[in-house]
C-alpha cells in the first residue's frame, strides 16, 4: 500500500482498478472435514448438502504453493488461498514484525507479533482497528456476482463494524444484529451508505440473543446467512494472520497465541498451518494453539478441562451475567464451533494445544504492558492473549528460544480516533428478548423497502 499512497489520487484509482481486474476467481473445491468428501462450490455453500452429521467444510485450493502477491493488493495478496470471486477496494493485510520491547519484558528471543489494526509506524492501517476486516473483505469477495439477497451478520461488535465498513463502501445490502449493550463498538469515520441496517437485542441480551434474532429473519429467502465459522471465506480471511507471519518469518511458528470467543480464528490458523505443511517449504510441524478466554465467561475452557467435545451445560441467565462481567465482551459466544468436526476441539487435539483463562485485571495489566513496550494501544481481547502468553512463559510451557506468534487481533483505536470526529450507527429497531419470529421478520422487512 505504500506505493499506492505515494501516487496521485487519479493514479491510485487507475492502479487499484488494474489490480482488481487482474485477479480471477480463485480455483478451489470444498471438502467435508468429517468424511473427506470433495465437491464443487455452487455459489454460497456453508454445509455439505450430503452430510449425515454436522461438520465444517474446508476449501481445497488448486494452488498448493504459498505465493503471496505484493502489498498493493491488500488482503488479496493472499487471494490464492481465499475463496473469492472478486476484489473489493480498501483492504489491508495483517502486518507481522519481530518484537523487541515485549519480547525483552517476557524473556523471549523469538517473539513475532501479527498486528491487525491501526499502527502506521509498522504499516498497519485497518480503519476499523480489528482483524475482523480480514473476514469482511474475504466474505464479501466471495458473494456471487449479481447477488440480490441481503447479507445477515450477527456480531458482538467488531465484526459488525468491519462488515458495515466494507458493505457500505461497496454498496452491498447488509443487516447487522448486535446486542444493545455493545452498540458503542459501532463507530465510523463517516456516515454509512443506507444499504447497511442495524437491529439490536435489548439491554441485558448478549451475542447469543443477537444470533437468535438474526436467525428469525433468515427464515425469509430475501436474506442470506453469512454463516459465521461455517463460511470458508470467514475462516480463510482470518487465516491471513498466519500467512502474514510465515511470509515474514520464513517458517511455521512453534506456538500460536490468541484470545477466542468462537475459536474461529484459531481454527483458521490450524487450517493455514496444514496448507503450509502441504507446501513443504516452511516446516512440517504444527504450531501449538494456545487460546484463552476471559473469566468468568469460560464455556470452552471448562469443556477443554473436562476433555469434553461437547460444551458443558450453561444456564442462559448465568451466561448473560458472565458476558456482562467480562472486559473483553467480544469473547462472549455461547455457541462456538467447538465440538463440530473440524472445529476448535479437533484443532486443539491435533496441535497439542490448550485453553487458558485470564481475569479482567490480568488483561488490563497486559494491555498496559503492551502499550509500554510496543508503543500502541490494544483491545481487551488482545490483552487476554498477551496475558496468557506471559503466564505460559512464567509456567515454563513456552521455552525462551521458542518461535512464538502472538496474534494481536485489534488495536490502535486510541491512535486512530485522535483528532477525528466520529459517527455512530444507531439501530433501526431494538427487539425485546422474547420477540416472536413473525414480529422480527415483519419489522426487518419494513427496513428494506
Amino acid at each position: 500500500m505504500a506505493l499506492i499512497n505515494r501516487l496521485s489520487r487519479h493514479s491510485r484509482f487507475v492502479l487499484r482498478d488494474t489490480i482488481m481486474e487482474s485477479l480471477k476467481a480463485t480455483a478451489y473445491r470444498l471438502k467435508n472435514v468429517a468424511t473427506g468428501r470433495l465437491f464443487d462450490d455452487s455459489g454460497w455453500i456453508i454445509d455439505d448438502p450430503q452430510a449425515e452429521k454436522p461438520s465444517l467444510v474446508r476449501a481445497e485450493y488448486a494452488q498448493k504453493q504459498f505465493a503471496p502477491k505484493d502489498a498493493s493488493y491488500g488482503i488479496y495478496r493472499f487471494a490464492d488461498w481465499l475463496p473469492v470471486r472478486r476484489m473489493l477496494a480498501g483492504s489491508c493485510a495483517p502486518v507481522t514484525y519481530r518484537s523487541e520491547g515485549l519480547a525483552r519484558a517476557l524473556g523471549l528471543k523469538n517473539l513475532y507479533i501479527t498486528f491487525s489494526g491501526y499502527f502506521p509506524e509498522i504499516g498497519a492501517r485497518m480503519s476499523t482497528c480489528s482483524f475482523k476486516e480480514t473476514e469482511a473483505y474475504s466474505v464479501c469477495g466471495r458473494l456471487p456476482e449479481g447477488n440480490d439477497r441481503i447479507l445477515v451478520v450477527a456480531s458482538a461488535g467488531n465484526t459488525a463494524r468491519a462488515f458495515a465498513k466494507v458493505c457500505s463502501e461497496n454498496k452491498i445490502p447488509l443487516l447487522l444484529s448486535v446486542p444493545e449493550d455493545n452498540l458503542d463498538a459501532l463507530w465510523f469515520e463517516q456516515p454509512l451508505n443506507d444499504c447497511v441496517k442495524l437491529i439490536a437485542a435489548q439491554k441485558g441480551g448478549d451475542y447469543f440473543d443477537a444470533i437468535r434474532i438474526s436467525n428469525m429473519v433468515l427464515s425469509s429467502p430475501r436474506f442470506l446467512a453469512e454463516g459465521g465459522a461455517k463460511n470458508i471465506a470467514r475462516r480463510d480471511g482470518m487465516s491471513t494472520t498466519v500467512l502474514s507471519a510465515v511470509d515474514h518469518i520464513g517458517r511455521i511458528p512453534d506456538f500460536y497465541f490468541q484470545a477466542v470467543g468462537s475459536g474461529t480464528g484459531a481454527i483458521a490458523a490450524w487450517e493455514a498451518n496444514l496448507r503450509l505443511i502441504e507446501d513443504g517449504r516452511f516446516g512440517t510441524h504444527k504450531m501449538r494453539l494456545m487460546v484463552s478466554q476471559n473469566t468468568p465467561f469460560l464455556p470452552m475452557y471448562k469443556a477443554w478441562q473436562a476433555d469434553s467435545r461437547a460444551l458443558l451445560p450453561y444456564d442462559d441467565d448465568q451466561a448473560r451475567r458472565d458476558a456482562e462481567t467480562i472486559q473483553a465482551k467480544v469473547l462472549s459466544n455461547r455457541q462456538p464451533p467447538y465440538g463440530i468436526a473440524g472445529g476448535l476441539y479437533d484443532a486443539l487435539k491435533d496441535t497439542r494445544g490448550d485453553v487458558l483463562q485470564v481475569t479482567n485485571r490480568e488483561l488490563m495489566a497486559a494491555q498496559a504492558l503492551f502499550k509500554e513496550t510496543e508503543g500502541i494501544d490494544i483491545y481487551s481481547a488482545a490483552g487476554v492473549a498477551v496475558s496468557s502468553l506471559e503466564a505460559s512463559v512464567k509456567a515454563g510451557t513456552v521455552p525462551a528460544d521458542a518461535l512464538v506468534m502472538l496474534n494481536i487481533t485489534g488495536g490502535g483505536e486510541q491512535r486512530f480516533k485522535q483528532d477525528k470526529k466520529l459517527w455512530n450507527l444507531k439501530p433501526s429497531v431494538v427487539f425485546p428478548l422474547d420477540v416472536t419470529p413473525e414480529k422480527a421478520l415483519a419489522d426487518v422487512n419494513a427496513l428494506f423497502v
Side-chain angles (χ1 to χ4, degrees):
M1 279 301 190
L3 170 62
I4 290 179
N5 289 336
R6 289 198 300 269
L7 297 173
S8 69
R9 177 182 170 88
H10 173 72
S11 297
R12 289 202 303 269
F13 285 133
V14 170
L15 179 55
R16 280 196 172 126
D17 287 346
T18 301
I19 289 172
M20 291 173 75
E21 290 172 1
S22 70
L23 262 187
K24 305 296 183 184
T26 305
Y28 65 92
R29 300 189 76 198
L30 298 177
K31 180 180 181 179
N32 181 311
V33 176
T35 66
R37 187 178 90 88
L38 285 168
F39 56 101
D40 293 328
D41 184 359
S42 61
W44 194 255
I45 290 180
I46 303 298
D47 297 294
D48 179 357
Q50 296 185 18
E52 296 183 357
K53 63 178 183 178
S55 172
L56 294 182
V57 297
R58 186 178 293 164
E60 293 284 318
Y61 294 102
Q63 172 64 268
K64 298 301 182 184
Q65 285 207 316
F66 180 46
K69 299 170 174 49
D70 66 68
S72 62
Y73 284 79
I75 192 176
Y76 300 106
R77 66 187 301 253
F78 303 118
D80 286 343
W81 287 358
L82 293 174
V84 293
R85 295 177 172 84
R86 55 176 173 156
M87 286 181 60
L88 303 174
S91 73
C92 299
V95 175
T96 299
Y97 68 98
R98 187 168 188 163
S99 169
E100 295 182 2
L102 183 62
R104 185 165 48 250
L106 299 183
L108 291 173
K109 299 176 181 178
N110 297 296
L111 173 60
Y112 288 85
I113 294 171
T114 299
F115 191 95
S116 298
Y118 188 76
F119 194 178
E121 290 82 354
I122 66 167
R125 295 184 177 275
M126 293 183 180
S127 63
T128 65
C129 304
S130 167
F131 85 143
K132 297 300 184 178
E133 276 193 35
T134 66
E135 304 174 29
Y137 279 107
S138 181
V139 168
C140 293
R142 187 191 179 201
L143 284 169
E145 292 290 342
N147 170 67
D148 60 357
R149 298 169 70 187
I150 299 162
L151 188 65
V152 178
V153 175
S155 168
N158 288 345
T159 300
R161 189 166 68 252
F163 272 89
K165 164 192 160 61
V166 175
C167 290
S168 175
E169 292 178 354
N170 292 277
K171 296 179 174 58
I172 298 169
L174 172 69
L175 175 69
L176 297 170
S177 181
V178 175
E180 189 177 15
D181 288 330
N182 296 23
L183 291 181
D184 58 353
L186 277 297
W187 53 263
F188 302 91
E189 285 187 273
Q190 57 192 8
L192 301 180
N193 186 284
D194 196 47
C195 66
V196 176
K197 306 291 186 183
L198 171 65
I199 60 175
Q202 73 175 41
K203 288 186 178 297
D206 63 3
Y207 180 34
F208 175 81
D209 295 304
I211 293 173
R212 183 171 52 81
I213 293 171
S214 72
N215 286 339
M216 295 177 183
V217 175
L218 288 166
S219 62
S220 166
R222 188 183 185 191
F223 297 91
L224 178 66
E226 182 272 327
K230 291 184 175 182
N231 191 326
I232 55 169
R234 177 178 279 214
R235 300 202 312 274
D236 291 353
M238 299 169 93
S239 79
T240 59
T241 56
V242 173
L243 301 184
S244 167
V246 171
D247 182 42
H248 181 81
I249 300 166
R251 80 168 181 91
I252 299 165
D254 300 321
F255 289 86
Y256 171 94
F257 278 81
Q258 185 198 321
V260 293
S262 69
T264 307
I267 298 167
W270 174 48
E271 292 175 328
N273 194 158
L274 297 177
R275 292 183 184 118
L276 291 162
I277 290 173
E278 188 175 10
D279 178 300
R281 294 173 296 161
F282 303 97
T284 59
H285 64 286
K286 296 167 185 171
M287 55 189 182
R288 293 186 64 184
L289 300 181
M290 307 294 286
V291 302
S292 44
Q293 294 203 280
N294 188 182
T295 185
F297 193 92
L298 302 170
M300 290 186 285
Y301 171 82
K302 291 179 179 179
W304 182 251
Q305 292 299 309
D307 194 20
S308 170
R309 175 180 287 274
L311 294 173
L312 306 183
Y314 201 174
D315 176 74
D316 287 349
D317 290 336
Q318 184 62 54
R320 291 188 182 107
R321 286 193 294 271
D322 290 347
E324 177 62 27
T325 300
I326 62 174
Q327 189 79 12
K329 298 196 185 306
V330 295
L331 304 183
S332 58
N333 189 331
R334 276 193 270 159
Q335 288 190 326
Y338 176 78
I340 189 172
L344 186 62
Y345 181 84
D346 287 340
L348 292 169
K349 285 291 186 180
D350 191 49
T351 64
R352 299 181 300 112
D354 202 359
V355 185
L356 310 172
Q357 60 173 323
V358 172
T359 67
N360 286 343
R361 179 174 294 183
E362 289 167 338
L363 79 83
M364 288 188 285
Q367 286 178 288
L369 175 64
F370 193 93
K371 188 170 185 178
E372 176 187 348
T373 57
E374 297 295 332
I376 194 72
D377 58 284
I378 58 174
Y379 284 149
S380 53
V384 170
V386 174
S387 179
S388 65
L389 171 58
E390 182 178 19
S392 296
V393 172
K394 288 179 179 177
T397 305
V398 177
D401 59 352
L403 200 160
V404 178
M405 174 187 166
L406 172 61
N407 190 357
I408 296 296
T409 52
E413 181 176 324
Q414 294 173 18
R415 177 78 58 84
F416 182 80
K417 286 183 173 180
Q418 288 176 356
D419 304 319
K420 285 187 173 71
K421 183 178 180 180
L422 300 173
W423 181 85
N424 286 86
L425 180 62
K426 303 297 184 184
S428 299
V429 185
V430 176
F431 287 111
L433 301 186
D434 60 354
V435 63
T436 64
E438 295 77 15
K439 173 66 172 173
L441 180 56
D443 285 359
V444 170
N445 266 324
L447 302 178
F448 293 93
V449 294

